[in-house]
Amino acid sequence: SNRAGANCARDDIAAPTHIVYLLRGQGERGAATTVHPGCGKMKRLQPPSISASNLLEMGTSMGLPFAARVYIVPRAVREALFEHGMIYIRAANGRHSLLASKARLFTLQTKTIPAVLSIAGSDSSGGAGIQADIKTIAAHHLFAETAITALTAQNTTGVRAVLEATPEFVAQEIDAVFEDIPPAAVKIGMVSSAAIIETIAERLEHWGATNIVVDPVMVATSGARLIDEGAVEALTSRLLPLATVITPNIMEAEALAERAIESSHDQALVAQQLARHFGCAVLVKGGHNVNDANDVLAEPAAHEDDEPRITWFRHTRVETENTHGTGCTLSSAIACGLAQERPLPDAINQAKEYLTGALAAGLDLGHGSGPIDHMWAL
């Protein structure tokens, strides 16, 4: 047995997750060994010499899913095993002694990581939207999944064209993700039509999605509205109430609360107002000349009569013109923290630290407001 199993009792063997098939000579028969990562042990199966076809039957009878088995096979039987979803590993020099050590190394490195689903539009320039979300999730060592709501032709100087997905296709994307690799958290970015918003809300309710972060992209930096009134109604009545936390900027918070924000006091009051109204946590981001680097979180109180709890996040402002995709990045980083089972304030704090580092890295691309360096910490 493997030394890694030293902490296991002598006769205590954890459930197997893999079968390793080791060849003997040049024939089609070999020895089969189960791998038990829970206690680091390997156990020889009987009989000591077994054919590939019998190995398939043995694995099925043991209830090990094909995706969790590793086989090392000779060329003669490789194709047959591939048809059943096997993985083939071959040592560079073909020596069977190396086959065994490589198989053990591979199985002990197999792992599962939380997935984060981003539901948003594609940015062809790579700085915002789905592309920013994928980079952010990968930088947090998590697995990124996507449901694309629209394709955009854009770069750092502006958006040229938008091709919206159909609600039916968005539903298929979400279903495909949840049926196979359910996400531990969901980030929702720009969704411009009421029909798509309704579809997203319905499918997330159907699948019982949790840890939902909504970046309510409603107003451009220029002040122009990005979604029509019908979409705003769907956003506020269907999607925001499903959220764990929403992350509006100053102008979006003003639009949702229908009141102006002119000071840090106003910023906190609006966060509390929105938390009471939507029944979720609200992070009102600074910027636009109001607490540029300071964000405020309002979390709903346990009792309706109590005021939502306020937490301030104060970070040093990074002086740069390259801020394309910062809202997408922050909300995705928060979703990553929630997927890692961090409390919401901790998830926000680490997300802001990540974003500050990405801005401070000083990436300078494009002729307009350029992207940030999502991989700055790697």
Side-chain angles (χ1 to χ4, degrees):
S1 65
N2 192 312
R3 285 287 182 186
N7 294 329
C8 296
R10 181 177 297 275
D11 298 321
D12 181 21
I13 297 182
T17 59
H18 301 73
I19 295 178
V20 180
Y21 187 44
L22 306 179
L23 298 182
R24 291 185 174 184
Q26 299 300 317
E28 295 185 11
R29 302 180 71 82
T33 302
T34 54
V35 180
H36 308 254
C39 60
K41 295 184 178 181
M42 300 181 75
K43 183 178 179 181
R44 180 68 57 84
L45 295 177
Q46 297 297 327
S49 181
I50 183 173
S51 69
S53 59
N54 289 339
L55 183 62
L56 290 174
E57 296 176 3
M58 181 179 293
T60 301
S61 68
M62 294 176 66
L64 297 182
F66 285 100
R69 292 188 220 151
V70 178
Y71 288 85
I72 301 171
V73 300
R75 183 175 300 175
V77 295
R78 188 187 313 169
E79 290 80 7
L81 292 177
F82 272 170
E83 290 178 2
H84 294 270
M86 307 303 156
I87 302 172
Y88 173 64
I89 303 174
R90 179 173 59 85
N93 61 4
R95 292 181 59 184
H96 300 303
S97 60
L98 286 183
L99 288 175
S101 63
K102 277 184 173 289
R104 176 173 295 194
L105 176 63
F106 181 87
T107 56
L108 293 180
Q109 288 180 342
T110 300
K111 62 183 179 180
T112 299
I113 59 175
V116 177
L117 169 62
S118 169
I119 304 175
S122 169
D123 172 5
S124 57
S125 72
I130 285 286
Q131 286 83 351
D133 296 342
I134 292 173
K135 294 173 190 176
T136 300
I137 296 165
H140 284 78
H141 305 287
L142 301 180
F143 186 76
E145 301 176 298
T146 63
I148 298 176
T149 59
L151 302 177
T152 69
Q154 65 173 293
N155 55 30
T156 62
T157 64
V159 179
R160 299 183 181 184
V162 178
L163 180 62
E164 197 171 78
T166 65
E168 295 77 16
F169 183 75
V170 173
Q172 290 282 358
E173 292 182 282
I174 295 172
D175 289 347
V177 166
F178 275 91
E179 287 171 6
D180 192 31
I181 309 177
V186 179
K187 174 266 169 90
I188 303 173
M190 181 180 176
V191 281
S192 58
S193 79
I196 291 180
I197 292 171
E198 178 64 36
T199 294
I200 293 170
E202 191 276 327
R203 297 323 292 162
L204 293 183
E205 287 178 321
H206 172 81
W207 290 108
T210 59
N211 293 327
I212 300 172
V213 181
V214 180
D215 183 14
V217 182
M218 301 168 55
V219 184
T221 303
S222 64
R225 277 192 172 270
L226 298 175
I227 59 178
D228 60 32
E229 289 298 328
V232 171
E233 171 62 27
L235 181 72
T236 55
S237 65
R238 293 289 288 122
L239 205 53
L240 300 190
L242 297 180
T244 301
V245 60
I246 64 175
T247 61
N249 60 28
I250 292 293
M251 289 189 291
E252 290 157 352
E254 288 177 330
L256 290 171
E258 298 182 339
R259 59 180 290 182
I261 297 176
E262 298 176 346
S263 65
S264 59
H265 180 67
D266 293 341
Q267 189 178 349
L269 289 179
V270 166
Q272 289 180 313
Q273 175 186 333
L274 296 178
R276 286 192 298 268
H277 182 75
F278 295 116
C280 66
V282 178
L283 181 72
V284 178
K285 298 176 292 188
H288 306 283
N289 300 319
V290 180
N291 277 332
D292 281 345
N294 300 331
D295 304 343
V296 61
L297 172 69
E299 296 178 270
H303 303 287
E304 289 186 7
D305 294 337
D306 295 337
E307 287 294 318
R309 183 170 65 255
I310 286 293
T311 304
W312 279 96
F313 301 89
R314 305 182 190 278
H315 287 254
T316 303
R317 176 177 172 81
V318 178
E319 295 297 336
T320 177
E321 296 297 320
N322 297 320
T323 58
H324 185 56
T326 51
C328 305
T329 299
L330 180 66
S331 54
S332 292
I334 293 171
C336 289
L338 295 178
Q340 294 167 327
E341 300 183 349
R342 295 175 182 264
L344 179 58
D346 289 352
I348 292 172
N349 195 56
Q350 68 86 23
K352 283 185 64 66
E353 290 177 352
Y354 168 74
L355 178 58
T356 298
L359 287 163
L363 187 64
D364 189 19
L365 297 174
H367 299 289
S369 177
I372 60 179
D373 185 357
H374 293 90
M375 302 302 174
W376 66 274
L378 300 182

mmCIF file of all heavy atoms in Angstrom, residues 46-88:
data_model
loop_
_atom_site.group_PDB
_atom_site.id
_atom_site.type_symbol
_atom_site.label_atom_id
_atom_site.label_comp_id
_atom_site.label_asym_id
_atom_site.label_seq_id
_atom_site.Cartn_x
_atom_site.Cartn_y
_atom_site.Cartn_z
ATOM 1 N N GLN A 46 -8.355 -9.633 -8.105
ATOM 2 C CA GLN A 46 -8.214 -11.020 -8.549
ATOM 3 C C GLN A 46 -9.141 -11.261 -9.733
ATOM 4 O O GLN A 46 -10.225 -10.683 -9.795
ATOM 5 C CB GLN A 46 -8.555 -11.985 -7.398
ATOM 6 C CG GLN A 46 -7.626 -11.869 -6.204
ATOM 7 C CD GLN A 46 -6.202 -12.233 -6.540
ATOM 8 O OE1 GLN A 46 -5.958 -13.108 -7.396
ATOM 9 N NE2 GLN A 46 -5.251 -11.569 -5.890
ATOM 10 N N PRO A 47 -8.780 -12.107 -10.715
ATOM 11 C CA PRO A 47 -7.548 -12.897 -10.758
ATOM 12 C C PRO A 47 -6.341 -12.030 -11.098
ATOM 13 O O PRO A 47 -6.500 -10.902 -11.550
ATOM 14 C CB PRO A 47 -7.833 -13.902 -11.870
ATOM 15 C CG PRO A 47 -8.776 -13.168 -12.769
ATOM 16 C CD PRO A 47 -9.642 -12.344 -11.866
ATOM 17 N N PRO A 48 -5.109 -12.572 -10.877
ATOM 18 C CA PRO A 48 -3.906 -11.774 -11.119
ATOM 19 C C PRO A 48 -3.689 -11.430 -12.588
ATOM 20 O O PRO A 48 -2.964 -10.495 -12.896
ATOM 21 C CB PRO A 48 -2.789 -12.675 -10.583
ATOM 22 C CG PRO A 48 -3.352 -14.052 -10.629
ATOM 23 C CD PRO A 48 -4.806 -13.911 -10.326
ATOM 24 N N SER A 49 -4.308 -12.164 -13.506
ATOM 25 C CA SER A 49 -4.199 -11.877 -14.931
ATOM 26 C C SER A 49 -5.605 -11.741 -15.491
ATOM 27 O O SER A 49 -6.433 -12.633 -15.323
ATOM 28 C CB SER A 49 -3.443 -12.995 -15.661
ATOM 29 O OG SER A 49 -3.322 -12.686 -17.034
ATOM 30 N N ILE A 50 -5.886 -10.609 -16.140
ATOM 31 C CA ILE A 50 -7.251 -10.315 -16.562
ATOM 32 C C ILE A 50 -7.231 -9.656 -17.927
ATOM 33 O O ILE A 50 -6.330 -8.871 -18.240
ATOM 34 C CB ILE A 50 -7.945 -9.410 -15.504
ATOM 35 C CG1 ILE A 50 -9.402 -9.152 -15.884
ATOM 36 C CG2 ILE A 50 -7.194 -8.095 -15.350
ATOM 37 C CD1 ILE A 50 -10.159 -8.422 -14.780
ATOM 38 N N SER A 51 -8.218 -9.953 -18.757
ATOM 39 C CA SER A 51 -8.298 -9.355 -20.087
ATOM 40 C C SER A 51 -9.009 -8.012 -20.004
ATOM 41 O O SER A 51 -9.706 -7.712 -19.030
ATOM 42 C CB SER A 51 -9.054 -10.279 -21.042
ATOM 43 O OG SER A 51 -10.422 -10.349 -20.681
ATOM 44 N N ALA A 52 -8.842 -7.211 -21.057
ATOM 45 C CA ALA A 52 -9.481 -5.890 -21.087
ATOM 46 C C ALA A 52 -10.999 -6.005 -21.046
ATOM 47 O O ALA A 52 -11.674 -5.236 -20.370
ATOM 48 C CB ALA A 52 -9.039 -5.131 -22.337
ATOM 49 N N SER A 53 -11.547 -6.977 -21.754
ATOM 50 C CA SER A 53 -13.003 -7.118 -21.779
ATOM 51 C C SER A 53 -13.536 -7.501 -20.403
ATOM 52 O O SER A 53 -14.565 -6.981 -19.949
ATOM 53 C CB SER A 53 -13.419 -8.163 -22.812
ATOM 54 O OG SER A 53 -12.828 -9.421 -22.507
ATOM 55 N N ASN A 54 -12.823 -8.403 -19.701
ATOM 56 C CA ASN A 54 -13.245 -8.756 -18.345
ATOM 57 C C ASN A 54 -13.096 -7.578 -17.395
ATOM 58 O O ASN A 54 -13.846 -7.427 -16.432
ATOM 59 C CB ASN A 54 -12.444 -9.951 -17.833
ATOM 60 C CG ASN A 54 -12.834 -11.240 -18.524
ATOM 61 O OD1 ASN A 54 -13.915 -11.350 -19.092
ATOM 62 N ND2 ASN A 54 -11.942 -12.224 -18.498
ATOM 63 N N LEU A 55 -12.099 -6.738 -17.641
ATOM 64 C CA LEU A 55 -11.890 -5.568 -16.807
ATOM 65 C C LEU A 55 -13.066 -4.608 -16.899
ATOM 66 O O LEU A 55 -13.503 -4.027 -15.907
ATOM 67 C CB LEU A 55 -10.595 -4.861 -17.217
ATOM 68 C CG LEU A 55 -10.194 -3.637 -16.389
ATOM 69 C CD1 LEU A 55 -9.939 -4.032 -14.944
ATOM 70 C CD2 LEU A 55 -8.961 -2.986 -16.968
ATOM 71 N N LEU A 56 -13.614 -4.435 -18.094
ATOM 72 C CA LEU A 56 -14.788 -3.589 -18.270
ATOM 73 C C LEU A 56 -15.949 -4.099 -17.429
ATOM 74 O O LEU A 56 -16.633 -3.335 -16.750
ATOM 75 C CB LEU A 56 -15.188 -3.544 -19.748
ATOM 76 C CG LEU A 56 -14.264 -2.801 -20.701
ATOM 77 C CD1 LEU A 56 -14.730 -2.996 -22.135
ATOM 78 C CD2 LEU A 56 -14.229 -1.325 -20.361
ATOM 79 N N GLU A 57 -16.178 -5.416 -17.474
ATOM 80 C CA GLU A 57 -17.273 -6.003 -16.703
ATOM 81 C C GLU A 57 -17.035 -5.840 -15.202
ATOM 82 O O GLU A 57 -17.953 -5.546 -14.440
ATOM 83 C CB GLU A 57 -17.412 -7.480 -17.058
ATOM 84 C CG GLU A 57 -17.795 -7.724 -18.510
ATOM 85 C CD GLU A 57 -17.819 -9.201 -18.860
ATOM 86 O OE1 GLU A 57 -17.594 -10.028 -17.953
ATOM 87 O OE2 GLU A 57 -18.074 -9.522 -20.032
ATOM 88 N N MET A 58 -15.790 -6.013 -14.782
ATOM 89 C CA MET A 58 -15.455 -5.899 -13.363
ATOM 90 C C MET A 58 -15.695 -4.474 -12.860
ATOM 91 O O MET A 58 -16.273 -4.260 -11.795
ATOM 92 C CB MET A 58 -14.002 -6.296 -13.136
ATOM 93 C CG MET A 58 -13.572 -6.240 -11.673
ATOM 94 S SD MET A 58 -11.858 -6.756 -11.455
ATOM 95 C CE MET A 58 -11.984 -8.490 -11.885
ATOM 96 N N GLY A 59 -15.259 -3.476 -13.634
ATOM 97 C CA GLY A 59 -15.453 -2.092 -13.223
ATOM 98 C C GLY A 59 -16.918 -1.735 -13.108
ATOM 99 O O GLY A 59 -17.341 -1.062 -12.168
ATOM 100 N N THR A 60 -17.722 -2.204 -14.066
ATOM 101 C CA THR A 60 -19.156 -1.922 -14.038
ATOM 102 C C THR A 60 -19.802 -2.544 -12.816
ATOM 103 O O THR A 60 -20.634 -1.932 -12.144
ATOM 104 C CB THR A 60 -19.821 -2.455 -15.318
ATOM 105 O OG1 THR A 60 -19.215 -1.833 -16.444
ATOM 106 C CG2 THR A 60 -21.316 -2.155 -15.315
ATOM 107 N N SER A 61 -19.416 -3.784 -12.491
ATOM 108 C CA SER A 61 -20.003 -4.465 -11.342
ATOM 109 C C SER A 61 -19.633 -3.780 -10.030
ATOM 110 O O SER A 61 -20.374 -3.855 -9.054
ATOM 111 C CB SER A 61 -19.550 -5.930 -11.314
ATOM 112 O OG SER A 61 -18.158 -6.025 -11.042
ATOM 113 N N MET A 62 -18.482 -3.099 -10.010
ATOM 114 C CA MET A 62 -18.065 -2.393 -8.800
ATOM 115 C C MET A 62 -18.725 -1.025 -8.675
ATOM 116 O O MET A 62 -18.592 -0.352 -7.658
ATOM 117 C CB MET A 62 -16.544 -2.212 -8.802
ATOM 118 C CG MET A 62 -15.768 -3.511 -8.707
ATOM 119 S SD MET A 62 -13.989 -3.229 -8.820
ATOM 120 C CE MET A 62 -13.718 -2.319 -7.306
ATOM 121 N N GLY A 63 -19.419 -0.571 -9.721
ATOM 122 C CA GLY A 63 -20.131 0.699 -9.665
ATOM 123 C C GLY A 63 -19.250 1.919 -9.778
ATOM 124 O O GLY A 63 -19.623 3.001 -9.344
ATOM 125 N N LEU A 64 -18.052 1.765 -10.374
ATOM 126 C CA LEU A 64 -17.180 2.919 -10.548
ATOM 127 C C LEU A 64 -17.527 3.613 -11.862
ATOM 128 O O LEU A 64 -17.525 2.976 -12.911
ATOM 129 C CB LEU A 64 -15.711 2.490 -10.571
ATOM 130 C CG LEU A 64 -15.173 1.834 -9.295
ATOM 131 C CD1 LEU A 64 -13.704 1.513 -9.455
ATOM 132 C CD2 LEU A 64 -15.391 2.725 -8.097
ATOM 133 N N PRO A 65 -17.860 4.899 -11.833
ATOM 134 C CA PRO A 65 -18.187 5.588 -13.085
ATOM 135 C C PRO A 65 -16.988 5.617 -14.024
ATOM 136 O O PRO A 65 -15.850 5.745 -13.599
ATOM 137 C CB PRO A 65 -18.570 6.999 -12.621
ATOM 138 C CG PRO A 65 -17.876 7.156 -11.306
ATOM 139 C CD PRO A 65 -17.866 5.800 -10.682
ATOM 140 N N PHE A 66 -17.258 5.483 -15.312
ATOM 141 C CA PHE A 66 -16.179 5.427 -16.282
ATOM 142 C C PHE A 66 -15.294 6.672 -16.222
ATOM 143 O O PHE A 66 -14.095 6.593 -16.414
ATOM 144 C CB PHE A 66 -16.730 5.263 -17.702
ATOM 145 C CG PHE A 66 -17.215 3.875 -17.981
ATOM 146 C CD1 PHE A 66 -18.547 3.556 -17.927
ATOM 147 C CD2 PHE A 66 -16.308 2.875 -18.277
ATOM 148 C CE1 PHE A 66 -18.992 2.279 -18.175
ATOM 149 C CE2 PHE A 66 -16.741 1.586 -18.533
ATOM 150 C CZ PHE A 66 -18.088 1.283 -18.480
ATOM 151 N N ALA A 67 -15.887 7.824 -15.946
ATOM 152 C CA ALA A 67 -15.104 9.066 -15.924
ATOM 153 C C ALA A 67 -14.090 9.076 -14.785
ATOM 154 O O ALA A 67 -13.176 9.876 -14.774
ATOM 155 C CB ALA A 67 -16.027 10.264 -15.795
ATOM 156 N N ALA A 68 -14.266 8.194 -13.808
ATOM 157 C CA ALA A 68 -13.364 8.175 -12.670
ATOM 158 C C ALA A 68 -12.425 6.979 -12.707
ATOM 159 O O ALA A 68 -11.849 6.602 -11.713
ATOM 160 C CB ALA A 68 -14.163 8.158 -11.373
ATOM 161 N N ARG A 69 -12.286 6.351 -13.901
ATOM 162 C CA ARG A 69 -11.368 5.230 -14.016
ATOM 163 C C ARG A 69 -10.200 5.600 -14.901
ATOM 164 O O ARG A 69 -10.352 6.338 -15.863
ATOM 165 C CB ARG A 69 -12.068 4.015 -14.621
ATOM 166 C CG ARG A 69 -13.101 3.422 -13.713
ATOM 167 C CD ARG A 69 -13.587 2.142 -14.318
ATOM 168 N NE ARG A 69 -15.022 2.072 -14.103
ATOM 169 C CZ ARG A 69 -15.847 1.449 -14.899
ATOM 170 N NH1 ARG A 69 -15.387 0.866 -15.975
ATOM 171 N NH2 ARG A 69 -17.114 1.412 -14.635
ATOM 172 N N VAL A 70 -9.063 5.079 -14.609
ATOM 173 C CA VAL A 70 -7.877 5.287 -15.434
ATOM 174 C C VAL A 70 -7.391 3.926 -15.897
ATOM 175 O O VAL A 70 -7.190 3.031 -15.084
ATOM 176 C CB VAL A 70 -6.758 6.006 -14.659
ATOM 177 C CG1 VAL A 70 -5.525 6.148 -15.533
ATOM 178 C CG2 VAL A 70 -7.236 7.360 -14.185
ATOM 179 N N TYR A 71 -7.207 3.768 -17.183
ATOM 180 C CA TYR A 71 -6.704 2.521 -17.731
ATOM 181 C C TYR A 71 -5.406 2.779 -18.477
ATOM 182 O O TYR A 71 -5.280 3.774 -19.188
ATOM 183 C CB TYR A 71 -7.698 1.915 -18.732
ATOM 184 C CG TYR A 71 -8.927 1.351 -18.098
ATOM 185 C CD1 TYR A 71 -10.005 2.167 -17.800
ATOM 186 C CD2 TYR A 71 -9.012 0.007 -17.771
ATOM 187 C CE1 TYR A 71 -11.138 1.677 -17.215
ATOM 188 C CE2 TYR A 71 -10.147 -0.497 -17.180
ATOM 189 C CZ TYR A 71 -11.209 0.325 -16.902
ATOM 190 O OH TYR A 71 -12.334 -0.164 -16.314
ATOM 191 N N ILE A 72 -4.468 1.882 -18.340
ATOM 192 C CA ILE A 72 -3.256 1.903 -19.155
ATOM 193 C C ILE A 72 -3.332 0.661 -20.031
ATOM 194 O O ILE A 72 -3.381 -0.459 -19.522
ATOM 195 C CB ILE A 72 -1.999 1.894 -18.285
ATOM 196 C CG1 ILE A 72 -2.037 3.125 -17.374
ATOM 197 C CG2 ILE A 72 -0.755 1.882 -19.135
ATOM 198 C CD1 ILE A 72 -0.966 3.121 -16.339
ATOM 199 N N VAL A 73 -3.375 0.823 -21.317
ATOM 200 C CA VAL A 73 -3.711 -0.292 -22.207
ATOM 201 C C VAL A 73 -2.708 -0.407 -23.339
ATOM 202 O O VAL A 73 -2.066 0.568 -23.724
ATOM 203 C CB VAL A 73 -5.123 -0.095 -22.807
ATOM 204 C CG1 VAL A 73 -6.160 -0.020 -21.729
ATOM 205 C CG2 VAL A 73 -5.176 1.157 -23.669
ATOM 206 N N PRO A 74 -2.561 -1.601 -23.898
ATOM 207 C CA PRO A 74 -1.727 -1.774 -25.085
ATOM 208 C C PRO A 74 -2.434 -1.236 -26.307
ATOM 209 O O PRO A 74 -3.648 -1.033 -26.308
ATOM 210 C CB PRO A 74 -1.539 -3.288 -25.168
ATOM 211 C CG PRO A 74 -2.792 -3.822 -24.556
ATOM 212 C CD PRO A 74 -3.161 -2.868 -23.445
ATOM 213 N N ARG A 75 -1.676 -1.005 -27.349
ATOM 214 C CA ARG A 75 -2.238 -0.454 -28.571
ATOM 215 C C ARG A 75 -3.368 -1.318 -29.099
ATOM 216 O O ARG A 75 -4.360 -0.823 -29.630
ATOM 217 C CB ARG A 75 -1.142 -0.319 -29.617
ATOM 218 C CG ARG A 75 -1.611 0.327 -30.921
ATOM 219 C CD ARG A 75 -0.438 0.543 -31.860
ATOM 220 N NE ARG A 75 0.551 1.399 -31.252
ATOM 221 C CZ ARG A 75 1.720 1.685 -31.808
ATOM 222 N NH1 ARG A 75 2.052 1.149 -32.965
ATOM 223 N NH2 ARG A 75 2.567 2.481 -31.199
ATOM 224 N N ALA A 76 -3.262 -2.646 -28.949
ATOM 225 C CA ALA A 76 -4.251 -3.555 -29.526
ATOM 226 C C ALA A 76 -5.647 -3.367 -28.961
ATOM 227 O O ALA A 76 -6.633 -3.621 -29.638
ATOM 228 C CB ALA A 76 -3.798 -5.003 -29.313
ATOM 229 N N VAL A 77 -5.738 -2.924 -27.700
ATOM 230 C CA VAL A 77 -7.074 -2.789 -27.099
ATOM 231 C C VAL A 77 -7.429 -1.331 -26.799
ATOM 232 O O VAL A 77 -8.474 -1.046 -26.237
ATOM 233 C CB VAL A 77 -7.161 -3.605 -25.781
ATOM 234 C CG1 VAL A 77 -7.021 -5.078 -26.063
ATOM 235 C CG2 VAL A 77 -6.139 -3.122 -24.784
ATOM 236 N N ARG A 78 -6.561 -0.395 -27.172
ATOM 237 C CA ARG A 78 -6.789 1.011 -26.852
ATOM 238 C C ARG A 78 -8.108 1.520 -27.420
ATOM 239 O O ARG A 78 -8.903 2.157 -26.729
ATOM 240 C CB ARG A 78 -5.636 1.848 -27.399
ATOM 241 C CG ARG A 78 -5.660 3.303 -26.953
ATOM 242 C CD ARG A 78 -4.586 4.096 -27.662
ATOM 243 N NE ARG A 78 -3.317 3.402 -27.646
ATOM 244 C CZ ARG A 78 -2.268 3.770 -28.375
ATOM 245 N NH1 ARG A 78 -2.359 4.820 -29.164
ATOM 246 N NH2 ARG A 78 -1.141 3.102 -28.314
ATOM 247 N N GLU A 79 -8.364 1.218 -28.721
ATOM 248 C CA GLU A 79 -9.569 1.738 -29.365
ATOM 249 C C GLU A 79 -10.834 1.215 -28.701
ATOM 250 O O GLU A 79 -11.810 1.946 -28.510
ATOM 251 C CB GLU A 79 -9.562 1.372 -30.854
ATOM 252 C CG GLU A 79 -8.527 2.114 -31.674
ATOM 253 C CD GLU A 79 -7.140 1.513 -31.523
ATOM 254 O OE1 GLU A 79 -7.003 0.442 -30.885
ATOM 255 O OE2 GLU A 79 -6.175 2.116 -32.040
ATOM 256 N N ALA A 80 -10.826 -0.064 -28.308
ATOM 257 C CA ALA A 80 -12.016 -0.635 -27.673
ATOM 258 C C ALA A 80 -12.320 0.056 -26.353
ATOM 259 O O ALA A 80 -13.479 0.335 -26.030
ATOM 260 C CB ALA A 80 -11.814 -2.136 -27.449
ATOM 261 N N LEU A 81 -11.273 0.366 -25.580
ATOM 262 C CA LEU A 81 -11.489 1.031 -24.305
ATOM 263 C C LEU A 81 -11.919 2.486 -24.504
ATOM 264 O O LEU A 81 -12.743 3.011 -23.764
ATOM 265 C CB LEU A 81 -10.222 0.976 -23.458
ATOM 266 C CG LEU A 81 -9.829 -0.422 -22.971
ATOM 267 C CD1 LEU A 81 -8.518 -0.359 -22.213
ATOM 268 C CD2 LEU A 81 -10.908 -1.009 -22.082
ATOM 269 N N PHE A 82 -11.367 3.154 -25.521
ATOM 270 C CA PHE A 82 -11.764 4.531 -25.810
ATOM 271 C C PHE A 82 -13.262 4.631 -26.078
ATOM 272 O O PHE A 82 -13.917 5.603 -25.717
ATOM 273 C CB PHE A 82 -10.998 5.060 -27.019
ATOM 274 C CG PHE A 82 -9.678 5.680 -26.669
ATOM 275 C CD1 PHE A 82 -8.779 6.022 -27.653
ATOM 276 C CD2 PHE A 82 -9.327 5.924 -25.350
ATOM 277 C CE1 PHE A 82 -7.562 6.599 -27.340
ATOM 278 C CE2 PHE A 82 -8.112 6.496 -25.026
ATOM 279 C CZ PHE A 82 -7.226 6.827 -26.017
ATOM 280 N N GLU A 83 -13.818 3.619 -26.727
ATOM 281 C CA GLU A 83 -15.241 3.633 -27.046
ATOM 282 C C GLU A 83 -16.095 3.670 -25.787
ATOM 283 O O GLU A 83 -17.247 4.064 -25.813
ATOM 284 C CB GLU A 83 -15.601 2.410 -27.890
ATOM 285 C CG GLU A 83 -15.040 2.468 -29.304
ATOM 286 C CD GLU A 83 -15.378 1.222 -30.101
ATOM 287 O OE1 GLU A 83 -16.076 0.349 -29.544
ATOM 288 O OE2 GLU A 83 -14.949 1.138 -31.262
ATOM 289 N N HIS A 84 -15.528 3.219 -24.669
ATOM 290 C CA HIS A 84 -16.252 3.216 -23.397
ATOM 291 C C HIS A 84 -15.877 4.402 -22.516
ATOM 292 O O HIS A 84 -16.154 4.409 -21.325
ATOM 293 C CB HIS A 84 -15.986 1.896 -22.660
ATOM 294 C CG HIS A 84 -16.563 0.704 -23.363
ATOM 295 N ND1 HIS A 84 -17.840 0.243 -23.120
ATOM 296 C CD2 HIS A 84 -16.043 -0.106 -24.310
ATOM 297 C CE1 HIS A 84 -18.076 -0.814 -23.884
ATOM 298 N NE2 HIS A 84 -17.001 -1.049 -24.609
ATOM 299 N N GLY A 85 -15.213 5.385 -23.073
ATOM 300 C CA GLY A 85 -14.909 6.599 -22.322
ATOM 301 C C GLY A 85 -13.691 6.503 -21.434
ATOM 302 O O GLY A 85 -13.587 7.196 -20.430
ATOM 303 N N MET A 86 -12.731 5.624 -21.796
ATOM 304 C CA MET A 86 -11.542 5.468 -20.971
ATOM 305 C C MET A 86 -10.506 6.558 -21.244
ATOM 306 O O MET A 86 -10.543 7.236 -22.250
ATOM 307 C CB MET A 86 -10.875 4.107 -21.243
ATOM 308 C CG MET A 86 -11.816 2.934 -21.124
ATOM 309 S SD MET A 86 -12.573 2.910 -19.496
ATOM 310 C CE MET A 86 -14.047 2.000 -19.874
ATOM 311 N N ILE A 87 -9.561 6.681 -20.342
ATOM 312 C CA ILE A 87 -8.431 7.592 -20.504
ATOM 313 C C ILE A 87 -7.184 6.742 -20.714
ATOM 314 O O ILE A 87 -6.957 5.781 -19.973
ATOM 315 C CB ILE A 87 -8.247 8.476 -19.257
ATOM 316 C CG1 ILE A 87 -9.518 9.274 -18.996
ATOM 317 C CG2 ILE A 87 -7.061 9.405 -19.395
ATOM 318 C CD1 ILE A 87 -9.506 10.028 -17.686
ATOM 319 N N TYR A 88 -6.382 7.071 -21.713
ATOM 320 C CA TYR A 88 -5.180 6.294 -22.017
ATOM 321 C C TYR A 88 -3.939 7.082 -21.619
ATOM 322 O O TYR A 88 -3.791 8.245 -21.969
ATOM 323 C CB TYR A 88 -5.143 5.979 -23.516
ATOM 324 C CG TYR A 88 -3.861 5.321 -23.982
ATOM 325 C CD1 TYR A 88 -3.515 4.063 -23.515
ATOM 326 C CD2 TYR A 88 -3.010 5.963 -24.859
ATOM 327 C CE1 TYR A 88 -2.350 3.457 -23.930
ATOM 328 C CE2 TYR A 88 -1.841 5.372 -25.288
ATOM 329 C CZ TYR A 88 -1.520 4.103 -24.808
ATOM 330 O OH TYR A 88 -0.367 3.511 -25.230
#
